[in-house]
Amino acid sequence: IKPHISQSIKGSIPSSNKVKNYMRAIEEPFVSSDKALASTLMNKLSGMKHNNSRSVREHIMEMRDIAARLKSLEFEISESFLVNFILNSLPVEYGAFQISYNTQKEKWSIYELLIMCVQEEERLKHGKVESAHLATHKGGQKKKGQK
């Protein structure tokens, strides 16, 4: 094993006649602390805001992935909490959408939220195109003499 280890780390590994001890000594410096990783992931999750630089689908999937990684570190995040957390990470354009969700009796799963948010994103894009069209055509009003 020793001849196959990079020269850059070979000097920092204490010698051992037992393979198991030698392998543990190699592994120790590269194992990250679960608590530190969980803290990093929680900070990332709590600071995430959707800023329209990517799709809402990508935003939700990344937040879901971080929650799954936290779960693997034994930091449980309920689906209901995550759904509400994601809704709160959406920009102000989704305000009516958020109100609509909050007035419903049933709770959505993360996948239902994903589907609904993608639909809302498309609706918002379509609305912006119509607004731009109306602005460039003076509100759709015809000038005198036009048919």
Side-chain angles (χ1 to χ4, degrees):
I1 295 175
K2 290 179 182 180
H4 297 288
I5 295 176
S6 171
Q7 287 296 329
S8 62
I9 64 168
K10 194 181 278 190
S12 65
I13 301 170
S15 294
S16 178
N17 293 331
K18 294 186 178 184
V19 173
K20 188 175 181 179
N21 293 342
Y22 194 70
M23 292 298 288
R24 190 175 304 123
I26 293 170
E27 182 183 33
E28 269 181 18
F30 299 101
V31 174
S32 65
S33 166
D34 285 352
K35 291 189 292 184
L37 178 58
S39 179
T40 300
L41 291 172
M42 285 190 292
N43 283 334
K44 185 173 183 179
L45 185 65
S46 65
M48 288 184 73
K49 295 287 182 193
H50 181 54
N51 59 10
N52 295 321
S53 65
R54 58 191 175 149
S55 75
V56 73
R57 178 186 306 273
E58 291 171 320
H59 174 71
I60 292 171
M61 294 303 289
E62 183 179 1
M63 291 185 83
R64 188 200 56 79
D65 181 58
I66 292 171
R69 290 172 62 193
L70 283 165
K71 185 177 182 178
S72 74
L73 295 170
E74 299 178 4
F75 286 83
E76 194 68 38
I77 296 176
S78 74
E79 187 169 43
S80 178
F81 178 84
L82 185 59
V83 165
N84 280 283
F85 205 80
I86 291 169
L87 281 168
N88 289 325
S89 75
L90 298 175
V92 295
E93 294 90 357
Y94 288 81
F97 178 76
Q98 292 166 327
I99 291 169
S100 175
Y101 173 76
N102 290 332
T103 59
Q104 295 180 15
K105 286 186 179 183
E106 71 273 356
K107 294 179 180 180
W108 291 343
S109 71
I110 194 74
Y111 296 106
E112 289 170 322
L113 174 69
L114 179 66
I115 291 165
M116 298 297 201
C117 283
V118 168
Q119 289 176 355
E120 180 67 4
E121 181 179 52
E122 287 302 314
R123 188 191 70 76
L124 289 169
K125 284 180 185 175
H126 183 69
K128 286 181 183 176
V129 169
E130 281 185 7
S131 295
H133 179 74
L134 290 173
T136 58
H137 291 86
K138 297 184 183 180
Q141 296 177 349
K142 295 179 183 177
K143 293 181 182 177
K144 288 184 180 180
Q146 286 183 331
K147 292 187 178 183

PDB file of all heavy atoms in Angstrom, residues 89-113:
ATOM      1  N   SER A  89     -39.204  30.657   0.098  1.00  0.00           N
ATOM      2  CA  SER A  89     -37.969  31.020  -0.608  1.00  0.00           C
ATOM      3  C   SER A  89     -38.252  31.586  -2.002  1.00  0.00           C
ATOM      4  O   SER A  89     -37.336  32.016  -2.698  1.00  0.00           O
ATOM      5  CB  SER A  89     -37.047  29.803  -0.733  1.00  0.00           C
ATOM      6  OG  SER A  89     -37.522  28.898  -1.716  1.00  0.00           O
ATOM      7  N   LEU A  90     -39.519  31.582  -2.394  1.00  0.00           N
ATOM      8  CA  LEU A  90     -39.891  32.061  -3.728  1.00  0.00           C
ATOM      9  C   LEU A  90     -39.999  33.581  -3.744  1.00  0.00           C
ATOM     10  O   LEU A  90     -40.307  34.197  -2.723  1.00  0.00           O
ATOM     11  CB  LEU A  90     -41.219  31.429  -4.158  1.00  0.00           C
ATOM     12  CG  LEU A  90     -41.211  29.901  -4.278  1.00  0.00           C
ATOM     13  CD1 LEU A  90     -42.616  29.384  -4.582  1.00  0.00           C
ATOM     14  CD2 LEU A  90     -40.213  29.425  -5.308  1.00  0.00           C
ATOM     15  N   PRO A  91     -39.778  34.202  -4.902  1.00  0.00           N
ATOM     16  CA  PRO A  91     -39.841  35.668  -4.988  1.00  0.00           C
ATOM     17  C   PRO A  91     -41.275  36.189  -4.852  1.00  0.00           C
ATOM     18  O   PRO A  91     -42.246  35.433  -4.885  1.00  0.00           O
ATOM     19  CB  PRO A  91     -39.268  35.969  -6.377  1.00  0.00           C
ATOM     20  CG  PRO A  91     -39.388  34.719  -7.146  1.00  0.00           C
ATOM     21  CD  PRO A  91     -39.382  33.585  -6.166  1.00  0.00           C
ATOM     22  N   VAL A  92     -41.406  37.508  -4.747  1.00  0.00           N
ATOM     23  CA  VAL A  92     -42.700  38.152  -4.511  1.00  0.00           C
ATOM     24  C   VAL A  92     -43.714  37.862  -5.620  1.00  0.00           C
ATOM     25  O   VAL A  92     -44.924  37.897  -5.362  1.00  0.00           O
ATOM     26  CB  VAL A  92     -42.555  39.687  -4.316  1.00  0.00           C
ATOM     27  CG1 VAL A  92     -41.779  39.996  -3.060  1.00  0.00           C
ATOM     28  CG2 VAL A  92     -41.925  40.338  -5.521  1.00  0.00           C
ATOM     29  N   GLU A  93     -43.259  37.559  -6.816  1.00  0.00           N
ATOM     30  CA  GLU A  93     -44.184  37.247  -7.916  1.00  0.00           C
ATOM     31  C   GLU A  93     -45.065  36.046  -7.588  1.00  0.00           C
ATOM     32  O   GLU A  93     -46.130  35.868  -8.159  1.00  0.00           O
ATOM     33  CB  GLU A  93     -43.424  36.944  -9.224  1.00  0.00           C
ATOM     34  CG  GLU A  93     -42.675  38.101  -9.815  1.00  0.00           C
ATOM     35  CD  GLU A  93     -41.237  38.206  -9.303  1.00  0.00           C
ATOM     36  OE1 GLU A  93     -40.831  37.410  -8.436  1.00  0.00           O
ATOM     37  OE2 GLU A  93     -40.529  39.092  -9.777  1.00  0.00           O
ATOM     38  N   TYR A  94     -44.618  35.215  -6.670  1.00  0.00           N
ATOM     39  CA  TYR A  94     -45.360  34.013  -6.278  1.00  0.00           C
ATOM     40  C   TYR A  94     -46.274  34.282  -5.069  1.00  0.00           C
ATOM     41  O   TYR A  94     -46.808  33.344  -4.501  1.00  0.00           O
ATOM     42  CB  TYR A  94     -44.393  32.876  -5.942  1.00  0.00           C
ATOM     43  CG  TYR A  94     -43.705  32.283  -7.149  1.00  0.00           C
ATOM     44  CD1 TYR A  94     -42.595  32.903  -7.712  1.00  0.00           C
ATOM     45  CD2 TYR A  94     -44.152  31.100  -7.725  1.00  0.00           C
ATOM     46  CE1 TYR A  94     -41.958  32.366  -8.818  1.00  0.00           C
ATOM     47  CE2 TYR A  94     -43.522  30.553  -8.823  1.00  0.00           C
ATOM     48  CZ  TYR A  94     -42.427  31.198  -9.375  1.00  0.00           C
ATOM     49  OH  TYR A  94     -41.799  30.653 -10.470  1.00  0.00           O
ATOM     50  N   GLY A  95     -46.467  35.534  -4.706  1.00  0.00           N
ATOM     51  CA  GLY A  95     -47.263  35.879  -3.531  1.00  0.00           C
ATOM     52  C   GLY A  95     -48.688  35.350  -3.592  1.00  0.00           C
ATOM     53  O   GLY A  95     -49.188  34.750  -2.628  1.00  0.00           O
ATOM     54  N   ALA A  96     -49.370  35.541  -4.712  1.00  0.00           N
ATOM     55  CA  ALA A  96     -50.747  35.048  -4.845  1.00  0.00           C
ATOM     56  C   ALA A  96     -50.776  33.524  -4.792  1.00  0.00           C
ATOM     57  O   ALA A  96     -51.690  32.927  -4.217  1.00  0.00           O
ATOM     58  CB  ALA A  96     -51.353  35.545  -6.153  1.00  0.00           C
ATOM     59  N   PHE A  97     -49.761  32.903  -5.358  1.00  0.00           N
ATOM     60  CA  PHE A  97     -49.637  31.444  -5.339  1.00  0.00           C
ATOM     61  C   PHE A  97     -49.490  30.945  -3.897  1.00  0.00           C
ATOM     62  O   PHE A  97     -50.133  29.970  -3.495  1.00  0.00           O
ATOM     63  CB  PHE A  97     -48.420  31.059  -6.189  1.00  0.00           C
ATOM     64  CG  PHE A  97     -48.118  29.590  -6.228  1.00  0.00           C
ATOM     65  CD1 PHE A  97     -48.886  28.731  -7.003  1.00  0.00           C
ATOM     66  CD2 PHE A  97     -47.068  29.074  -5.504  1.00  0.00           C
ATOM     67  CE1 PHE A  97     -48.598  27.375  -7.047  1.00  0.00           C
ATOM     68  CE2 PHE A  97     -46.771  27.722  -5.542  1.00  0.00           C
ATOM     69  CZ  PHE A  97     -47.547  26.872  -6.318  1.00  0.00           C
ATOM     70  N   GLN A  98     -48.674  31.633  -3.115  1.00  0.00           N
ATOM     71  CA  GLN A  98     -48.471  31.263  -1.713  1.00  0.00           C
ATOM     72  C   GLN A  98     -49.762  31.420  -0.916  1.00  0.00           C
ATOM     73  O   GLN A  98     -50.115  30.561  -0.103  1.00  0.00           O
ATOM     74  CB  GLN A  98     -47.354  32.118  -1.096  1.00  0.00           C
ATOM     75  CG  GLN A  98     -45.992  31.814  -1.669  1.00  0.00           C
ATOM     76  CD  GLN A  98     -44.958  32.873  -1.313  1.00  0.00           C
ATOM     77  OE1 GLN A  98     -45.268  34.042  -1.191  1.00  0.00           O
ATOM     78  NE2 GLN A  98     -43.716  32.440  -1.155  1.00  0.00           N
ATOM     79  N   ILE A  99     -50.475  32.507  -1.143  1.00  0.00           N
ATOM     80  CA  ILE A  99     -51.751  32.734  -0.458  1.00  0.00           C
ATOM     81  C   ILE A  99     -52.733  31.635  -0.816  1.00  0.00           C
ATOM     82  O   ILE A  99     -53.437  31.107   0.053  1.00  0.00           O
ATOM     83  CB  ILE A  99     -52.313  34.139  -0.792  1.00  0.00           C
ATOM     84  CG1 ILE A  99     -51.429  35.215  -0.152  1.00  0.00           C
ATOM     85  CG2 ILE A  99     -53.763  34.279  -0.329  1.00  0.00           C
ATOM     86  CD1 ILE A  99     -51.711  36.625  -0.623  1.00  0.00           C
ATOM     87  N   SER A 100     -52.771  31.272  -2.082  1.00  0.00           N
ATOM     88  CA  SER A 100     -53.659  30.206  -2.532  1.00  0.00           C
ATOM     89  C   SER A 100     -53.361  28.901  -1.796  1.00  0.00           C
ATOM     90  O   SER A 100     -54.269  28.212  -1.331  1.00  0.00           O
ATOM     91  CB  SER A 100     -53.505  30.006  -4.041  1.00  0.00           C
ATOM     92  OG  SER A 100     -54.266  28.910  -4.469  1.00  0.00           O
ATOM     93  N   TYR A 101     -52.090  28.573  -1.662  1.00  0.00           N
ATOM     94  CA  TYR A 101     -51.714  27.349  -0.935  1.00  0.00           C
ATOM     95  C   TYR A 101     -52.159  27.433   0.525  1.00  0.00           C
ATOM     96  O   TYR A 101     -52.714  26.483   1.069  1.00  0.00           O
ATOM     97  CB  TYR A 101     -50.208  27.099  -1.007  1.00  0.00           C
ATOM     98  CG  TYR A 101     -49.784  25.936  -0.125  1.00  0.00           C
ATOM     99  CD1 TYR A 101     -50.029  24.634  -0.527  1.00  0.00           C
ATOM    100  CD2 TYR A 101     -49.181  26.140   1.113  1.00  0.00           C
ATOM    101  CE1 TYR A 101     -49.679  23.551   0.278  1.00  0.00           C
ATOM    102  CE2 TYR A 101     -48.830  25.075   1.928  1.00  0.00           C
ATOM    103  CZ  TYR A 101     -49.072  23.783   1.498  1.00  0.00           C
ATOM    104  OH  TYR A 101     -48.736  22.726   2.302  1.00  0.00           O
ATOM    105  N   ASN A 102     -51.919  28.563   1.149  1.00  0.00           N
ATOM    106  CA  ASN A 102     -52.239  28.729   2.567  1.00  0.00           C
ATOM    107  C   ASN A 102     -53.735  28.679   2.860  1.00  0.00           C
ATOM    108  O   ASN A 102     -54.132  28.396   3.989  1.00  0.00           O
ATOM    109  CB  ASN A 102     -51.633  30.027   3.108  1.00  0.00           C
ATOM    110  CG  ASN A 102     -50.122  29.949   3.207  1.00  0.00           C
ATOM    111  OD1 ASN A 102     -49.558  28.868   3.373  1.00  0.00           O
ATOM    112  ND2 ASN A 102     -49.470  31.081   3.083  1.00  0.00           N
ATOM    113  N   THR A 103     -54.573  28.958   1.868  1.00  0.00           N
ATOM    114  CA  THR A 103     -56.018  28.925   2.092  1.00  0.00           C
ATOM    115  C   THR A 103     -56.616  27.537   1.844  1.00  0.00           C
ATOM    116  O   THR A 103     -57.795  27.329   2.141  1.00  0.00           O
ATOM    117  CB  THR A 103     -56.736  29.948   1.184  1.00  0.00           C
ATOM    118  OG1 THR A 103     -56.459  29.638  -0.182  1.00  0.00           O
ATOM    119  CG2 THR A 103     -56.308  31.365   1.516  1.00  0.00           C
ATOM    120  N   GLN A 104     -55.833  26.617   1.324  1.00  0.00           N
ATOM    121  CA  GLN A 104     -56.322  25.256   1.082  1.00  0.00           C
ATOM    122  C   GLN A 104     -56.214  24.418   2.351  1.00  0.00           C
ATOM    123  O   GLN A 104     -55.284  24.599   3.139  1.00  0.00           O
ATOM    124  CB  GLN A 104     -55.508  24.587  -0.027  1.00  0.00           C
ATOM    125  CG  GLN A 104     -55.662  25.248  -1.365  1.00  0.00           C
ATOM    126  CD  GLN A 104     -54.832  24.546  -2.425  1.00  0.00           C
ATOM    127  OE1 GLN A 104     -54.375  23.434  -2.245  1.00  0.00           O
ATOM    128  NE2 GLN A 104     -54.638  25.219  -3.544  1.00  0.00           N
ATOM    129  N   LYS A 105     -57.126  23.474   2.523  1.00  0.00           N
ATOM    130  CA  LYS A 105     -57.099  22.600   3.691  1.00  0.00           C
ATOM    131  C   LYS A 105     -56.016  21.543   3.577  1.00  0.00           C
ATOM    132  O   LYS A 105     -55.332  21.243   4.550  1.00  0.00           O
ATOM    133  CB  LYS A 105     -58.454  21.924   3.891  1.00  0.00           C
ATOM    134  CG  LYS A 105     -59.503  22.858   4.428  1.00  0.00           C
ATOM    135  CD  LYS A 105     -60.774  22.116   4.755  1.00  0.00           C
ATOM    136  CE  LYS A 105     -61.792  23.099   5.324  1.00  0.00           C
ATOM    137  NZ  LYS A 105     -63.024  22.433   5.715  1.00  0.00           N
ATOM    138  N   GLU A 106     -55.870  20.971   2.391  1.00  0.00           N
ATOM    139  CA  GLU A 106     -54.893  19.883   2.239  1.00  0.00           C
ATOM    140  C   GLU A 106     -53.472  20.428   2.072  1.00  0.00           C
ATOM    141  O   GLU A 106     -53.268  21.546   1.612  1.00  0.00           O
ATOM    142  CB  GLU A 106     -55.252  18.956   1.069  1.00  0.00           C
ATOM    143  CG  GLU A 106     -55.083  19.531  -0.316  1.00  0.00           C
ATOM    144  CD  GLU A 106     -56.301  20.303  -0.827  1.00  0.00           C
ATOM    145  OE1 GLU A 106     -57.335  20.345  -0.147  1.00  0.00           O
ATOM    146  OE2 GLU A 106     -56.187  20.894  -1.909  1.00  0.00           O
ATOM    147  N   LYS A 107     -52.528  19.577   2.481  1.00  0.00           N
ATOM    148  CA  LYS A 107     -51.105  19.911   2.340  1.00  0.00           C
ATOM    149  C   LYS A 107     -50.578  19.210   1.101  1.00  0.00           C
ATOM    150  O   LYS A 107     -51.012  18.121   0.751  1.00  0.00           O
ATOM    151  CB  LYS A 107     -50.331  19.449   3.571  1.00  0.00           C
ATOM    152  CG  LYS A 107     -50.709  20.188   4.831  1.00  0.00           C
ATOM    153  CD  LYS A 107     -49.921  19.680   6.012  1.00  0.00           C
ATOM    154  CE  LYS A 107     -50.301  20.436   7.273  1.00  0.00           C
ATOM    155  NZ  LYS A 107     -49.548  19.951   8.430  1.00  0.00           N
ATOM    156  N   TRP A 108     -49.627  19.848   0.442  1.00  0.00           N
ATOM    157  CA  TRP A 108     -49.014  19.265  -0.742  1.00  0.00           C
ATOM    158  C   TRP A 108     -47.791  18.462  -0.349  1.00  0.00           C
ATOM    159  O   TRP A 108     -47.072  18.808   0.593  1.00  0.00           O
ATOM    160  CB  TRP A 108     -48.582  20.350  -1.718  1.00  0.00           C
ATOM    161  CG  TRP A 108     -49.691  21.096  -2.376  1.00  0.00           C
ATOM    162  CD1 TRP A 108     -51.004  20.726  -2.466  1.00  0.00           C
ATOM    163  CD2 TRP A 108     -49.586  22.348  -3.054  1.00  0.00           C
ATOM    164  NE1 TRP A 108     -51.720  21.678  -3.143  1.00  0.00           N
ATOM    165  CE2 TRP A 108     -50.874  22.679  -3.519  1.00  0.00           C
ATOM    166  CE3 TRP A 108     -48.537  23.213  -3.305  1.00  0.00           C
ATOM    167  CZ2 TRP A 108     -51.130  23.857  -4.234  1.00  0.00           C
ATOM    168  CZ3 TRP A 108     -48.793  24.365  -4.012  1.00  0.00           C
ATOM    169  CH2 TRP A 108     -50.076  24.680  -4.478  1.00  0.00           C
ATOM    170  N   SER A 109     -47.505  17.459  -1.152  1.00  0.00           N
ATOM    171  CA  SER A 109     -46.223  16.764  -1.043  1.00  0.00           C
ATOM    172  C   SER A 109     -45.199  17.626  -1.778  1.00  0.00           C
ATOM    173  O   SER A 109     -45.558  18.578  -2.492  1.00  0.00           O
ATOM    174  CB  SER A 109     -46.306  15.381  -1.687  1.00  0.00           C
ATOM    175  OG  SER A 109     -46.390  15.513  -3.105  1.00  0.00           O
ATOM    176  N   ILE A 110     -43.957  17.281  -1.635  1.00  0.00           N
ATOM    177  CA  ILE A 110     -42.900  18.039  -2.320  1.00  0.00           C
ATOM    178  C   ILE A 110     -43.058  17.927  -3.838  1.00  0.00           C
ATOM    179  O   ILE A 110     -42.808  18.878  -4.570  1.00  0.00           O
ATOM    180  CB  ILE A 110     -41.490  17.577  -1.842  1.00  0.00           C
ATOM    181  CG1 ILE A 110     -40.411  18.571  -2.279  1.00  0.00           C
ATOM    182  CG2 ILE A 110     -41.162  16.205  -2.341  1.00  0.00           C
ATOM    183  CD1 ILE A 110     -40.414  19.829  -1.499  1.00  0.00           C
ATOM    184  N   TYR A 111     -43.550  16.773  -4.307  1.00  0.00           N
ATOM    185  CA  TYR A 111     -43.725  16.584  -5.749  1.00  0.00           C
ATOM    186  C   TYR A 111     -44.932  17.367  -6.272  1.00  0.00           C
ATOM    187  O   TYR A 111     -44.875  17.912  -7.374  1.00  0.00           O
ATOM    188  CB  TYR A 111     -43.824  15.099  -6.076  1.00  0.00           C
ATOM    189  CG  TYR A 111     -42.541  14.397  -5.727  1.00  0.00           C
ATOM    190  CD1 TYR A 111     -42.448  13.571  -4.620  1.00  0.00           C
ATOM    191  CD2 TYR A 111     -41.394  14.612  -6.479  1.00  0.00           C
ATOM    192  CE1 TYR A 111     -41.247  12.968  -4.276  1.00  0.00           C
ATOM    193  CE2 TYR A 111     -40.192  14.013  -6.146  1.00  0.00           C
ATOM    194  CZ  TYR A 111     -40.125  13.187  -5.043  1.00  0.00           C
ATOM    195  OH  TYR A 111     -38.936  12.606  -4.705  1.00  0.00           O
ATOM    196  N   GLU A 112     -45.992  17.456  -5.477  1.00  0.00           N
ATOM    197  CA  GLU A 112     -47.129  18.284  -5.865  1.00  0.00           C
ATOM    198  C   GLU A 112     -46.709  19.749  -5.907  1.00  0.00           C
ATOM    199  O   GLU A 112     -47.093  20.486  -6.824  1.00  0.00           O
ATOM    200  CB  GLU A 112     -48.286  18.093  -4.876  1.00  0.00           C
ATOM    201  CG  GLU A 112     -48.950  16.737  -4.983  1.00  0.00           C
ATOM    202  CD  GLU A 112     -49.918  16.456  -3.846  1.00  0.00           C
ATOM    203  OE1 GLU A 112     -49.633  16.835  -2.688  1.00  0.00           O
ATOM    204  OE2 GLU A 112     -50.964  15.841  -4.121  1.00  0.00           O
ATOM    205  N   LEU A 113     -45.926  20.170  -4.934  1.00  0.00           N
ATOM    206  CA  LEU A 113     -45.417  21.547  -4.925  1.00  0.00           C
ATOM    207  C   LEU A 113     -44.586  21.813  -6.176  1.00  0.00           C
ATOM    208  O   LEU A 113     -44.742  22.849  -6.822  1.00  0.00           O
ATOM    209  CB  LEU A 113     -44.564  21.808  -3.679  1.00  0.00           C
ATOM    210  CG  LEU A 113     -43.866  23.167  -3.639  1.00  0.00           C
ATOM    211  CD1 LEU A 113     -44.877  24.294  -3.464  1.00  0.00           C
ATOM    212  CD2 LEU A 113     -42.832  23.204  -2.533  1.00  0.00           C
TER     213      LEU A 113
END
